[in-house]
Amino acid sequence: MSAITDLSAAELAAAIAAGRAGAEEAAKAYLAVIEQREGQIGAFNEVLADRALDEARAIDRRRAAGEPLGPLAGVPVAIKDNLCTAYGRTTCSSRMLENFQAPYTATAVGKLQDAGAVIIGKTNMDEFAMGSSTENSGFGPTRNPWDVSRVPGGSSGGSAAAVAAGMCPAALGSDTGGSIRQPAALCGVVGLKPTYGRVSRYGLVAYGSSLDQIGPLTHDVTDCALLTRVIAGYDRADSTSIPQDVPDYLAAIEKPIAGLRVGLPKEFFSQALDSEIRQAVLAAGEAIKAAGARIVEVSLPTSRVDSDGDGKLSSFAVACYYIVASAEASSNLARYDGVHYGYRTPAKVDDIVDLYCRSRAEGLGAEVKRRIMLGAYTLSSGYYDAYYLKALKVRRLIKNDFDRAFQSCDLLLCPTTPTTAFKLGEKTADPLTMYLADVYTLSVNLAGLPGLSVPAAISAAGLPIGMQLIGPVFSEGRLLQVARAYETATGITRLKPPQ
Amino acid sequence: MVDQNDIVLPIIGLEIHVELDTQTKMFCRCRNRFGDPPNTNVCPVCIGMPGVLPVMNRRAVELSMKVGMALGCQVASVTKWDRKSYWYPDLPKNYQISQYDLPLSSNGLLEVPLADGATKAVRILRAHLEEDAGKNVHDLPSGTGVDLNRAGVPLLEIVSQPDMNSVEEAAAYARTMQRLVRWLGASLANMQMGHMRFEPNINLHITRGGKVHKTPIVEVKNLNSFRSLEGAVAWEIRRQYAAWQEDPEGFTIERQGKQNRGYDDATGQTVFQRGKEEAHDYRYFPDPDLVSVQPDQAWLQAIADSIGELPLARRQRYIDQYRLTFKEADALTQDAPTGDLLDAAVAAGADPKRCVNLMLSRGSAIANERGCSIAQIGLSPAPLAELAIMLHSGQVNATAAAKIFDLMLDGRQTPAAIAAEQGLLAVTEAGEVEAWVDAAIAANPQAAGDVREGGKKAKKAFGFLTGQVMQASRGAANPQQVQEILTRKLG
């Protein structure tokens, strides 16, 4: 029999429900992997070992008593450290919130718990979810399990690395501009950013509120469907969540994809794209076609990704995203001032303004400060129309592009990232280069659409390549269905990094 | 530099903050209540903890729309929420959820009655909804603390056009607004509890030698009593005129623009706070955590239907229809339920004047003792009407009615039952009253003689004998009847 840690989340839950495996046994097995690999990877900010074991034993007792068990009973799940939990700390990988203990649990995490999941720990991330490499963590970087000299992507790098390294069968991340899909691609796992409003944001420490969405990272598409079904749904505590029934994604994904029209947005396959990634994604398109879908070419002019004179990528969407997200961030992070929440400077201060300034200067990292400054600037009177208002107009154009594209296709297939995992430190000196790591993902957030990244291939250098499926609002089921068909047709699933 | 020919016209606009009388706060379910121990009505949402989200209070929006409609405003077909950023220890998120470019209501008018019987029309620019901030509490043994009980309480900000031209007009506008929001049940509008706060904008248009000079606009922040409002406006009018006389070219709106001042109740003077150079940049932008509000027709209609007759219209109706004096009508239209009580009693067949007498004599006295409105003392329309009818038909006299009034407030017995049980029904049996009269005459020959002689002492003696009879009947005799019989016997 294969090790318990080789089971998918769905298989593990089934085994526990049937009494073929124990929840405590599973928790111990995963804690052992964490014990073994965490020193190398650095995926976790906090491992909730004692609590996880208690929860697992409770599941085993319930199973023994014949009580009903949820669909994730006994499945260890890691949680990005910007999701509030009424246990442990919620730090956002920031010195600012180093000791923050939330008195409440995020709705999405609560739903996992209700489904029987065992929360095994809080994962590392870029500070306040700002970054694409998990190097911006206040507590040190996470490393890519495929090559520890490389980044896992970000900002949900800890969650992606934890799943890829086999430290848990599934994790939650948050995606503001690609923060689930980009690390999923770089770590060779499945990551879904659901439709904006599909999953409650209550308890997610806000970065860019109009863009943020919580989603799962898993080894395969089935587990992704399983977790999405659990965490999705209307929540009256989040006004922006949408009262719409959650479909049975698990039932939907095994349906044949014959007749579905898959669009290739030509602007996403320009010369700017790494040729190996282009080949991999186009080959995936062929495989999907062979499974019965039709491939059509579509256009997303406003989201185009170009290569400028010096070979760097350029994109309206990136500019638009950094204005909208930074504006919201400057407001969302204003409460961390040394008076209300978070770190307070130990220095003797002259007055309240001095207290604010020193606390924020000492408690926040460089990237966070950069975006706060950018956001405050673009919202200030005199610049609002030129930047923020203009960005909202571009955002509308991007959405219109997608709407038009979905008139001629059912979903889009494109790359998730412009490159495979890059080296630690490679892009930290040049923030603009780092921002381009999300060039294929962030227009999805601006338009509020669902986006799914699944492993497409392994590069010649032995690094995972992800492909991205994008659909109209609430088309998560269709995206998962096509991704599942690809998994089935090619067998590219549940990739394991070399140990 | 004083010139007797100067024409000085004060230009006054008023921002009124009204705390809405909702059960819970604007964006969470914490209790909205004044006076509780600090930081007891708080939750993660209203103290802005990381990760929490606001959810709009429908009732607060309804009350605001109701006020807007009563002010004749246009209610927006789409309204949204914006964030207003500033840094202050009593502001939990360092931004306030407010409304910027799409206020709930705009372009209204309030007819303000003045003391001389005229009315002043004041245009309303806008009325928008926002959350209140908390309160810094200084002078604690530990230094300064922050009480966030008030943070997140729904606040309606009503902004007038600068249409008022005197202290009296500004004060009358504020009082009329207070009566209106109370009438609509939108706010308790209690100044001591901070339910209403004023921020007047004041400058002067001074005509000298055919030329109009405008003084810099002053906004006086956070006034929480009518007295402060009147004091601050009066002080500013005097101060600005004096300052302009000193420097007619320099002390102008063109040169100095706008400044904020505070008001010191103790000295009755305003003090400089900040000038336009330090004006805030609030960095307004739409709150991404809240969806826009699009009230549908049915919702708007239901709110419009709930408004009913407004206080000044009702006051006039009472004067015209019930023949009440201005003072009586005014007293009965301080709040809607008191007037409703009168209308219901009249509808049940009672004489309006009798009802009003009962309400404004015993009713008013009890209300004053308890510090509440007449409608809140336990009075119901049916017993009020019944008592007024009994009084009108002579079944009880005024003294007995006052006793019955007090006893019927608990609602356990009808006035008729109380009168019967307490022996308060007027005795109109001629024989019985005549016997009391005879006894009184027999017992007081001196007085009876004075009445018969008809001299200077006659009137007093007649009153004395009437009193003796009333006493003998223990108030049950009808005084009019007693006087008739006395007149017949001694006349």
Side-chain angles (χ1 to χ4, degrees), chain A residues 58-73:
Chain A
I59 297 280
D60 286 336
R61 280 197 299 276
R62 291 184 57 182
R63 140 94 195 139
E67 291 173 37
L69 298 176
L72 288 172

Side-chain angles (χ1 to χ4, degrees), chain B residues 142-281:
Chain B
S142 55
T144 294
V146 184
D147 176 8
L148 294 177
N149 278 353
R150 205 180 63 186
V153 164
L155 200 58
L156 185 66
E157 182 172 336
I158 306 167
V159 184
S160 85
Q161 295 279 11
D163 287 349
M164 289 153 275
N165 304 112
S166 66
V167 174
E168 292 70 28
E169 287 181 5
Y173 169 78
R175 285 180 202 280
T176 306
M177 193 67 81
Q178 183 190 43
R179 186 191 305 213
L180 181 72
V181 296
R182 278 184 177 165
W183 184 270
L184 295 172
S187 174
L188 299 176
N190 184 321
M191 309 294 300
Q192 283 78 38
M193 297 186 185
H195 293 150
M196 263 184 109
R197 279 122 56 190
F198 308 120
E199 295 190 344
N201 276 274
I202 309 142
N203 78 335
L204 306 178
H205 288 189
I206 304 162
T207 311
R208 177 182 280 186
K211 193 180 164 212
V212 179
H213 305 261
K214 297 177 181 177
T215 59
I217 296 174
V218 161
E219 180 165 317
V220 187
K221 307 301 282 183
N222 259 325
L223 302 173
N224 48 22
S225 73
F226 289 108
R227 239 183 71 139
S228 304
L229 172 66
E230 289 166 336
V233 174
W235 172 261
E236 270 306 305
I237 292 172
R238 286 203 303 278
R239 185 189 71 84
Q240 290 185 27
Y241 187 44
W244 178 79
Q245 284 170 327
E246 290 293 315
D247 182 12
E249 297 308 316
F251 191 72
T252 63
I253 189 165
E254 292 81 9
R255 293 279 178 84
Q256 299 192 14
K258 199 169 165 176
Q259 62 169 236
N260 285 349
R261 296 177 77 90
Y263 180 70
D264 183 345
D265 274 304
T267 62
Q269 299 181 1
T270 63
V271 282
F272 178 81
Q273 284 178 333
R274 64 182 160 86
K276 65 170 179 175
E277 302 79 27
E278 302 161 61
H280 269 111
D281 181 352

Side-chain angles (χ1 to χ4, degrees), chain A residues 164-301:
Chain A
M167 297 162 150
C168 53
L172 288 191
S174 71
D175 189 316
T176 308
S179 283
I180 289 173
R181 290 160 289 156
Q182 187 257 11
L186 268 43
C187 290
V189 299
V190 176
L192 174 69
K193 189 221 81 113
T195 305
Y196 186 77
R198 177 80 283 187
V199 177
S200 169
R201 290 184 295 116
Y202 190 85
L204 168 67
V205 178
Y207 157 29
S209 310
S210 76
L211 306 156
D212 295 339
Q213 190 65 188
I214 299 166
L217 292 117
T218 59
H219 281 292
D220 65 26
V221 173
T222 307
D223 281 357
C224 185
L226 175 61
L227 261 83
T228 306
R229 175 156 173 73
V230 168
I231 63 173
Y234 175 65
D235 177 13
R236 59 177 303 166
D238 176 0
S239 308
T240 62
S241 84
I242 296 172
Q244 188 165 314
D245 289 341
V246 182
D248 186 352
Y249 299 123
L250 276 171
I253 60 173
E254 299 296 348
K255 290 183 192 158
I257 61 167
L260 278 180
R261 296 164 303 165
V262 177
L264 297 182
K266 60 181 180 193
E267 289 83 359
F268 281 15
F269 291 90
S270 70
Q271 289 307 315
L273 179 60
D274 175 275
S275 63
E276 201 179 6
I277 292 180
R278 188 210 321 261
Q279 289 312 316
V281 178
L282 291 176
E286 290 305 317
I288 291 168
K289 190 176 166 187
R294 276 166 50 205
I295 300 292
V296 295
E297 187 179 274
V298 295
S299 178
L300 295 172

Side-chain angles (χ1 to χ4, degrees), chain A residues 104 203 331 334-335 337 340-341 381, chain B residues 47-48 50-51 83 89 91 94 281:
Chain A
Y104 42 85
S331 171
R335 72 195 68 187
D337 62 2
H340 296 104
Y341 299 102
S381 65
Chain B
I47 65 175
R83 291 184 183 177
L91 189 66
N94 283 334
D281 181 352

Side-chain angles (χ1 to χ4, degrees), chain A residues 38 41-47 78-82 91-94 121-129 133-143 152-162 171-174 179 183 217:
Chain A
E38 175 60 9
I41 306 295
F44 285 88
N45 283 343
E46 185 173 13
V47 178
I79 302 295
K80 188 177 182 179
D81 208 12
N82 59 353
T91 71
C92 293
S93 288
S94 178
K122 306 291 286 283
T123 57
N124 196 13
M125 55 187 281
D126 286 303
E127 183 177 5
F128 283 106
S133 66
T134 313
E135 290 165 290
N136 292 333
S137 166
F139 311 130
T142 297
R143 289 161 184 273
S155 63
S156 309
S159 287
L172 288 191
S174 71
S179 283
L217 292 117

Side-chain angles (χ1 to χ4, degrees), chain B residues 321-324 332 341-359 381 384-393:
Chain B
Q321 191 182 328
Y322 293 164
R323 303 279 157 214
L324 304 190
L332 288 162
L341 201 56
L342 170 64
D343 286 336
V346 172
D351 174 57
K353 225 30 184 190
R354 293 280 182 195
C355 293
V356 170
N357 288 343
L358 287 167
M359 290 171 81
L384 173 62
E386 189 181 327
L387 183 59
I389 292 165
M390 287 169 71
L391 189 62
H392 199 61
S393 65

